[in-house]
């Protein structure tokens, strides 16, 4: 929850105002590279609400499209846009997959969030996917981790996340102030609940600082165990 001044325009939004530095810093996509064993790696600092972030995301994953596996590093990611979460997940699951249901404050169903078609992403549908977490991970990156974990589409490695599940909305108090408060509750169609106050538990609990090296070793070991060279 936070209380903020109403902008001069008078328009109130739940979206936090971004500093220019954050807005131009590649929409919080900090790193995209290829690691040992042709493992693709992408590091995100947040799920940026700007619509251009979706284009940057698709460009980043296109670069990784010939990887043998993909690691999404969320260890320093602290929130952002559920819409970008939906976009990223759509690279890795079939079109029309139910991701989560959004319920209002009274428990009513407000929206059903599903994956959609993104051109050129067929190569990702069977690519091994790993998500790195820490106890600092909160909100939007938790949606990504929780959803892909329970769809059995990703292996989550690291620390249990912070446990902030609810969508943030904005409500005007008076002509000068407005409040940002939780106003929507995402619910998994698989678990029938979410991670509020519980966090997302990883498949493998590893100290966050060691999670990347651990994941690379885990992936390479799994290839050896399957008889691959």
């Amino acid at each position: 929850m936070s209380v903020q001044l109403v902008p001069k325009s008078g328009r109130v939004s739940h979206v936090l105002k971004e500093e220019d530095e954050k807005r131009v810093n590649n929409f919080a996509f900090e790193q995209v590279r290829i690691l040992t064993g042709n493992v693709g790696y992408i590091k995100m600092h947040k799920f940026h609400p700007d619509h251009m972030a979706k284009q940057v995301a698709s460009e980043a994953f296109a670069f990784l499209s010939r990887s043998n596996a993909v690691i999404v590093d969320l260890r320093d990611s602290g929130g952002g846009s559920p819409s970008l979460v939906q976009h990223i997940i759509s690279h890795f699951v079939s079109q029309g997959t139910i991701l989560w249901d959004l319920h209002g404050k009274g428990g009513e169903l407000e929206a059903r969030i599903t994956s959609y078609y993104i051109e050129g992403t067929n190569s990702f549908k069977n690519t091994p996917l790993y998500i790195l977490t820490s106890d600092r991970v909160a909100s939007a990156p938790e949606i990504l981790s929780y959803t892909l974990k329970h769809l059995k589409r990703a292996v989550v490695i690291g620390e249990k996340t912070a446990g902030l599940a609810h969508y943030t909305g904005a409500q005007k108090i008076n002509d000068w102030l407005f409040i940002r408060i939780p106003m929507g509750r995402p619910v998994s169609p698989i678990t029938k609940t979410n991670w509020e106050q519980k966090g997302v538990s990883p498949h493998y609990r590893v100290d966050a600082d060691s999670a990347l090296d651990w994941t690379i070793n885990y992936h390479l070991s799994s290839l050896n165990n399957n008889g691959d060279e």
Side-chain angles (χ1 to χ4, degrees), residues 18-203:
E18 298 293 338
E19 299 174 3
D20 289 341
E21 174 67 21
K22 291 182 180 179
R23 204 165 36 239
V24 301
N25 190 24
N26 210 34
F27 300 96
F29 288 87
E30 183 192 76
Q31 297 181 42
V32 182
R33 54 196 174 107
I34 303 298
L35 305 178
T36 301
N38 195 34
V39 174
Y41 173 82
I42 183 165
K43 182 174 176 62
M44 300 177 61
H45 276 306
K46 71 170 292 180
F47 287 74
H48 206 293
D50 193 291
H51 71 280
M52 285 294 294
K54 293 181 180 179
Q55 179 179 333
V56 175
S58 290
E59 291 169 350
F61 284 113
F63 175 76
L64 302 178
S65 61
R66 293 174 180 83
S67 303
N68 294 335
V70 173
I71 296 173
V72 179
D73 190 346
L74 303 178
R75 290 175 294 175
D76 295 314
S77 183
S81 167
S83 180
L84 182 55
V85 174
Q86 177 189 19
H87 183 74
I88 290 176
I89 293 177
S90 294
H91 288 73
F92 293 96
V93 301
S94 300
Q95 179 181 1
T97 300
I98 300 173
L99 306 182
W100 65 87
D101 290 329
L102 181 62
H103 292 264
K105 293 175 66 176
E108 68 280 6
L109 178 64
E110 293 189 346
R112 170 155 285 177
I113 310 301
T114 62
S115 59
Y116 49 80
Y117 174 74
I118 300 176
E119 187 175 357
T121 60
N122 285 337
S123 62
F124 283 120
K125 297 301 186 283
N126 296 309
T127 302
L129 177 62
Y130 305 99
I131 298 175
L132 307 186
T133 61
S134 73
D135 58 8
R136 301 181 299 276
V137 171
S139 190
E142 290 184 289
I143 301 179
L144 184 89
S145 305
Y146 190 86
T147 302
L148 287 170
K149 174 185 176 181
H150 290 288
L151 286 173
K152 300 185 185 304
R153 184 58 192 87
V155 177
V156 181
I157 298 169
E159 299 170 345
K160 181 185 285 190
T161 62
L164 303 178
H166 297 161
Y167 278 39
T168 299
Q171 187 168 324
K172 198 170 183 179
I173 300 174
N174 54 36
D175 291 340
W176 301 279
L177 297 173
F178 73 97
I179 190 170
R180 297 176 72 255
I181 54 175
M183 297 184 70
R185 182 169 62 93
V187 175
S188 165
I190 299 169
T191 67
K192 308 303 181 184
T193 184
N194 60 33
W195 58 97
E196 179 68 21
Q197 298 185 24
K198 297 178 291 187
V200 181
S201 295
H203 290 97

